Amino acid sequence: QTKEQIQAQLDHLQSQWKLEETPIPSLIASTHRLQSNIGHLQQESTNLTSQFNINNSTLQQTQEQNSKLKKACRKLYSHNRKLVQKLQKKKEDSRHFIRTVKDFVSQKKQEELDKEELVVACHEAMLKNQMRHQGRGVSASISDSSLTGDASNAGMGMGMGTGTGMGGNRARTNTAESN
């Protein structure tokens, strides 16, 4: 039976009986309040269901975004680790390069010192040789240009060998002294 049918039956009974004298009028009022409450509850249930669906959809979207963000964070973290490793390698390469350059500069300075020592030794040997020749009465003329020029070339004219480093200086000096 529908609501209208029940209401029609109640109205019919009320017209036949004196319902005011029975508890039926309060029962009818309670039924009306109950029906009104049911309507409100159904409306609220519909609203809550709708809100639940919206919230559920928002939750799913948020979870998807969270998943994407986690994936992006993992990629960025991995990329960052690779960059840190590259940076460390570049720093190590830079340190190695600096050490190599410093070693090269030090080697070149040492070579310059050795060359200067060689020049000085050749000059000394030439002067000793000249003094020895002048002391014997032999006229050995050495031009000023040979004394101030390339000492290794002047030394070669006097029968001295060419060598490099400190050992070569001693050999030339010994050779010059033995002449």
Side-chain angles (χ1 to χ4, degrees), residues 33-51:
R33 280 192 306 269
L34 181 62
Q35 287 175 348
S36 175
N37 286 340
I38 288 173
H40 290 299
L41 289 174
Q42 285 176 341
Q43 182 66 31
E44 190 175 327
S45 172
T46 303
N47 291 341
L48 288 176
T49 302
S50 174
Q51 187 64 38

Side-chain angles (χ1 to χ4, degrees), residues 7-35:
Q7 187 63 41
Q9 286 177 352
L10 286 174
D11 290 340
H12 177 65
L13 287 174
Q14 186 178 13
S15 64
Q16 289 180 356
W17 295 348
K18 293 197 174 202
L19 293 177
E20 296 84 23
E21 298 170 2
T22 65
I24 291 180
S26 69
L27 185 59
I28 291 174
S30 294
T31 303
H32 285 293
R33 280 192 306 269
L34 181 62
Q35 287 175 348

Side-chain angles (χ1 to χ4, degrees), residues 22 32 44 47 70 75 96 122 126-127 149:
T22 65
H32 285 293
E44 190 175 327
N47 291 341
K70 282 182 179 180
K75 285 182 181 179
H96 178 69
C122 286
M126 287 172 31
L127 289 174

